[in-house]
Structure formats: C-alpha cells, structure tokens
Amino acid sequence: MESNEVLMDVDAGRAADAETLIFVNYRGRDAGTAAAFVHTELSRRFGARLVFLDYESIPLGRDFKPVLFARVRGSAVLLAIVGSRWLEGVVGQRPIDDPDDWVRMEILEALEHGVPVVPVLFDGATLSLDRLPPELAVLVDLQYFEIRTRRQRHDIAGLADHLAREIPGLRDLPVHELTPWEAVVAALQDGMDPAAGSGVSISIEVNETGDFDQVSLRRPVATVVDRQIGNDPQLFHDMVRAAGLRDNGDADRAVREWMFGRLSHGHIAADRDALERAVTELGLRDSRPRTVLSIATLKPDLMAERADYALDWVDRFDGDSAYLKRRPLAPSSWAQLQADIEAIPSKLPRDRSEVLVTGSLRQATAFAVGGALRMVTGLDVALNQRGELWSSNAQFDALIAPSLAEHRVEAGDELAVAISVAADPVEDVLAFVEDAGLPVERLISLSPVAGIRDNAIPDAKAAAAFAQGCRDAARKACRRNTRIHLFLAGPMGLALLLGHRWNRLRPTVVYEDVQGPAIYEKAFTVDA
C-alpha cells in the first residue's frame, strides 16, 4: 500500500471543516453495520475528525455531493468495505454496474486522483475479476485487508496499526482535553508498545486568566487508551496503578502547581524524562511500575494496548453483550481457557513481582487467574475494585474469619463451598448439587459476619483479610474430604485474591453461574 503525505491542521475544528485522512466507502445493504463499526473503532484510535463516514461526517443541510467528492480527493486512503453481497446479482444489472452508483463513483474518484484504495473484505467476501465492472478491475490487484466475523475488533485494531505506520498524518497527533495529571499518567504509562514511552511529551497552553486553556499529550502514535483516559475512570485508575503512581486528588493538585511553576510566556512543554523527574521530586510514586495482565472475556479491555501480556477471549464467549457472556462458545471450551490461564506466568516479565489484573471476567475466571499466580509462585496480584486497589499484599492487623453455616447432603465424601458475600447462593447450590448428582457430603457457606449484601467488604484491607479467613476456614473444613466444589458469589476482586491464596487444600472444581436451567456449569479444576 502506498501513502500520500497530507499536510493538515489537526486542530481544524468541526468535522465539516476538517480534512479527512481515512474515507470509509461502503454499501448500506451489504456492509452498513460493518462500516459503522470500522468508523467507530478508527475514530476512537485517531479521532472522529480524521475518519469520514457519510452520515456521521456530513452536517445536516449540507449538499452531500460536493462534500463526498472533496473528501475523497483530500483523503490519504479510501477503505472500500466489501461484504458478501457487494457483487451480488446479475452482472450488468447490479448497483455497482450503474455509472451513477455512489460506491462506484467514490472508488473511481479515489483512483483517478491517486488516493490509495484498500479493499477491506468482511466475513469471507472475495473480489473476482470476472464479476467486477471493467472500470474497477484494478481492485483485484490491490493489497487487501481481511476482517473476520469473530475477530472484528482485533482485526480492525490491526488495520489501524497498518494505517498509522503508513500514513504520516496519523502519527504524532496530539490528544487534547486532558487534566494535567491525566496527561502525565498517560505519558508515563509503561507497556509492550515502544511508542508508549518513545518520543512522548505533554504541552500546556495557558489563557489570559491564568487557567489551563489546553493540555495536550503527544506521542508518535496516539492510541485509543490515550483518547479514552479522560472519559473512563476505571481505565484511568488502571493506568495510575500500572505506572506505580499515587491515586488521589493530591496528585492532580501537585502536578498542576508544578506546571504553573514552569510556565514561560503562557506555554510549557515537558518530555518524558522531565515528567519522570517531577513525579519523583513531588513524591507521587507509591511503588515500582506493575506488570499489567489484561484478561478480556466479557468485553474488550483498553488496557490490553498497554499490557505486558493480554489474553482476549471476548469473541470466544457466547452471548451478544457483556452481561450475557457466561460460557465459552463452542468449539472453544473451559479447558482451553484454563490452559491459556495456566500459561500466563511464563508470559510475564521476571523483574517485577506485582501483577495488576485488568479487564472483564466473571468470578470463576478471576479465581483461576489468581490460582495461576498463586502466592507460592512469589507473585502478588492486584485489581482495581471500583476505583480502589485490592491487592494480595495489602497489610491488615488480623484475618477476618467468616461466618460458617453448614448444610448436610450425605451423598458422598466431597465438600461443597459457597462464598456468600454479595448474594446468598445456598439454595441454588443445593439444588444444583442434587440435580447434578455430585458426591457431596455437606455444603458450607462462608459469609461476612456483618451479613450478605453488596459492599459487604468495605475496603482493600478487609478484602485481603477476608480472603485469608475464607481460605483457612475451607482448609480446616476439608480435612476429611477428597475434593472441593467451589461456588462464588462476591466481588471479582475477592475471587482473584481467594484464588491467589488457595493452596494446601484439596483438588477444587470451580463453577460458573451461567443463569441457565442447570444454574451452574463446571468451569475449572484447580489442584490445591
């Protein structure tokens, strides 16, 4: 793919007045949804002003014809979104054969003016010479990009990487509308991507009243993470903790005052080295940078871009939304997910012992991740639980013993354990044990002494103390049993901490609540 260097003002204002670098060409009845998804993902990466999609980018009341042709001619690349119906129909009678067809005219306009055209093939679509109009036959010879149905987000991210490397105008774009502390955190974030720390800087513009007029982050290739940090509190907390920085309002105030002290003629610019020195001098570090482990099973994790290792199972879980994704989608299986999880320790850097887990995962998976990174491996795990860091190395005065309730089953010599924190699953667990014919002697329910409810575990210290208390109670209870069946109903952070401490017990089968007729499903088997 060739690229044309486009000189433009990235602060050009409204989309109606800004130049386009990426023009999305599509046919609505063929790949309208796919085109919208490509536009959304690329806009998050590069900014909406630089990615053109007709109904998103043309203001109401504007004559669309001259706008379309002008945007095509001014683009650095045209993406021709091709779905399975793009060439459907009788040759000579299809929309693509009509000289007045807009999809056709946009592509021809790009070819005539030297704008690179990249066919983007969706869902197994192909381009064949015998079915293309002669004027568009050149498309067969162009380097194309393929996007798979079950890997759309991953593949579009790969497309964005290609575009960023090959189109100069998509590199070195500033990210605006950040607070001083958000900009510093983004600039200092470590990760696998060399662009995360290479050539990064922040600049500050101050208005006549002395207030910050604009805070901008600049790096060689700005990412989705950079553009979302000011809009996503969870992402911001993850980035702060990953960089080993303090996570409080005092940090923002200290950075703001430091910047005011460096002002010269209403402008300040600072590179990464200057920012590192400032953070150290201001006492804004609370630890070394943490290893970032991204696990996504319910929805994509933006921190995957900055992770030391990322495991993406979103497209391998069944369900159309994060709420509905509760089990792997065949042929994927829990056993495959467990194998991927157990391989995690070998993928992580060896020079850092603290692992920050980010992403979206249900409790059985969180427990399995904690088990793979168990305390006996010399690692500590941490997770942002609603803005607070829950960590296995949180200091507490004494463990918190749970309230224990026992229910006899007398169907075998194995033990069922219900961690009952946010909800009471005992009735469902007993019904499942009976229906599944599990050889269980008894069920013990471990819950906070203060009662079962949301936010029953108030803070990080209590979480670490309660996790150890539950582990000790289970260890004592299982002495005469051969196996444990574990059911979890509590915060994800607790499941991670419990898995981290789950050793010197019995082989443990961990179940996931799949909200189906059987209620639960066997997910993982952990040797403990």
Side-chain angles (χ1 to χ4, degrees):
M1 184 199 310
E2 298 179 356
S3 65
N4 297 336
E5 183 167 356
V6 179
L7 300 177
M8 62 175 296
D9 178 5
V10 295
D11 300 318
R14 294 175 39 184
D17 302 314
E19 293 190 48
T20 298
L21 287 181
I22 304 171
F23 189 101
V24 181
N25 165 276
Y26 72 102
R27 188 175 305 286
R29 70 180 188 181
D30 169 59
T33 301
F37 192 45
V38 168
H39 174 266
T40 297
E41 293 298 301
L42 295 183
S43 295
R44 290 173 65 198
R45 173 71 176 269
F46 302 119
R49 290 177 296 180
L50 303 184
V51 186
F52 183 90
L53 184 71
D54 51 10
Y55 62 85
E56 289 284 353
S57 305
I58 300 177
L60 295 176
R62 186 69 67 88
D63 184 350
F64 68 90
K65 296 179 183 179
V67 173
L68 285 175
F69 285 132
R71 291 298 182 84
V72 169
R73 291 191 295 269
S75 295
V77 65
L78 181 142
L79 304 180
I81 311 297
V82 178
S84 58
R85 301 174 61 188
W86 203 75
L87 291 175
E88 186 178 63
V90 179
V91 175
Q93 302 177 19
R94 305 162 301 179
I96 198 67
D97 299 313
D98 183 354
D100 293 326
D101 175 59
W102 277 102
V103 171
R104 173 188 172 122
M105 288 193 293
E106 289 169 2
I107 295 174
L108 290 175
E109 187 77 8
L111 294 172
E112 181 180 345
H113 289 83
V115 176
V117 174
V118 178
V120 179
L121 308 183
F122 259 87
D123 196 20
T126 59
L127 292 174
S128 58
L129 188 61
D130 60 333
R131 293 190 57 78
L132 280 168
E135 297 83 356
L136 297 179
V138 67
L139 294 180
V140 174
D141 299 323
L142 299 179
Q143 183 64 42
Y144 66 88
F145 194 92
E146 187 172 7
I147 295 178
R148 298 159 292 183
T149 302
R150 289 182 57 187
R151 301 284 289 169
Q152 288 188 30
R153 188 171 279 103
H154 177 272
D155 289 343
I156 294 172
L159 174 62
D161 289 340
H162 278 287
L163 296 173
R165 287 194 296 268
E166 299 183 25
I167 300 174
L170 293 178
R171 296 194 291 272
D172 202 27
L173 296 175
V175 179
H176 303 311
E177 299 179 358
L178 299 175
T179 68
W181 186 223
E182 288 168 350
V184 170
V185 169
L188 297 185
Q189 174 63 56
D190 290 331
M192 294 175 63
D193 184 355
S198 174
V200 67
S201 65
I202 61 172
S203 63
I204 310 294
E205 302 290 341
V206 177
N207 59 30
E208 295 178 355
T209 65
D211 294 328
F212 289 135
D213 189 43
Q214 183 165 268
V215 180
S216 300
L217 168 77
R218 184 182 293 272
R219 70 167 87 251
V221 180
T223 68
V224 175
V225 173
D226 296 326
R227 298 189 185 284
Q228 291 294 108
I229 186 173
N231 304 317
D232 188 333
Q234 180 68 29
L235 173 64
F236 176 66
H237 288 304
D238 282 340
M239 292 185 71
V240 171
R241 293 300 185 179
L245 303 172
R246 296 196 180 280
D247 196 3
N248 55 45
D250 292 340
D252 185 81
R253 184 173 60 254
V255 168
R256 187 178 293 268
E257 291 174 355
W258 173 79
M259 289 181 177
F260 270 123
R262 289 171 55 94
L263 288 177
S264 175
H265 305 295
H267 177 80
I268 177 177
D271 61 16
R272 184 186 174 109
D273 289 340
L275 297 173
E276 288 276 12
R277 289 194 300 270
V279 164
T280 300
E281 292 167 3
L282 296 171
L284 299 181
R285 289 203 176 278
D286 71 351
S287 74
R288 296 176 59 200
R290 295 176 170 88
T291 293
V292 178
L293 170 63
S294 168
I295 309 285
T297 60
L298 310 181
K299 60 183 180 180
D301 178 23
L302 289 178
M303 281 296 288
E305 292 191 16
R306 290 286 174 263
D308 295 276
Y309 182 67
L311 191 60
D312 183 355
W313 266 65
V314 174
D315 294 329
R316 299 174 69 180
F317 259 60
D318 194 13
D320 295 329
S321 70
Y323 180 77
L324 297 174
K325 288 180 180 290
R326 292 179 176 271
R327 58 159 66 92
L329 175 65
S332 299
S333 66
W334 289 112
Q336 292 171 337
L337 178 56
Q338 181 164 359
D340 284 352
I341 290 173
E342 290 178 347
I344 287 172
S346 66
K347 311 289 186 180
L348 300 181
R350 296 175 182 241
D351 60 341
R352 282 174 279 177
S353 61
E354 290 186 88
V355 180
L356 176 70
V357 180
T358 70
S360 56
L361 50 162
R362 296 201 183 278
Q363 291 181 63
T365 306
F367 182 92
V369 171
L373 304 173
R374 238 170 289 185
M375 183 178 291
V376 293
T377 65
L379 296 172
D380 282 301
V381 296
L383 179 146
N384 270 314
Q385 183 72 38
R386 295 184 178 178
E388 184 182 17
L389 190 75
W390 284 18
S391 174
S392 59
N393 61 9
Q395 300 298 309
F396 54 86
D397 296 329
L399 64 80
I400 298 177
S403 174
L404 189 153
E406 182 176 305
H407 306 267
R408 305 299 299 187
V409 179
E410 307 295 357
D413 63 354
E414 299 178 0
L415 176 70
V417 177
I419 305 298
S420 309
V421 177
D424 186 353
V426 167
E427 184 177 339
D428 286 342
V429 171
L430 288 172
F432 173 78
V433 167
E434 180 179 356
D435 292 344
L438 298 183
V440 167
E441 175 197 26
R442 60 204 165 102
L443 163 69
I444 62 168
S445 172
L446 305 178
S447 60
V449 174
I452 300 170
R453 64 179 188 277
D454 287 338
N455 301 321
I457 300 177
D459 54 37
K461 291 182 180 180
F466 186 72
Q468 183 169 327
C470 286
R471 189 277 316 273
D472 289 355
R475 183 183 287 173
K476 181 178 180 180
C478 75
R479 287 173 179 166
R480 66 173 183 265
N481 301 112
T482 58
R483 182 185 296 249
I484 296 173
H485 299 267
L486 181 63
F487 303 83
L488 299 156
M492 181 173 68
L494 178 64
L496 178 76
L497 297 181
L498 195 60
H500 181 68
R501 291 185 176 275
W502 204 256
N503 65 300
R504 292 174 53 210
L505 288 107
R506 296 288 184 267
T508 301
V509 181
V510 189
Y511 294 84
E512 184 57 79
D513 179 357
V514 294
Q515 292 195 341
I519 308 175
Y520 292 100
E521 185 170 286
K522 176 182 174 181
F524 308 107
T525 300
V526 177
D527 291 328

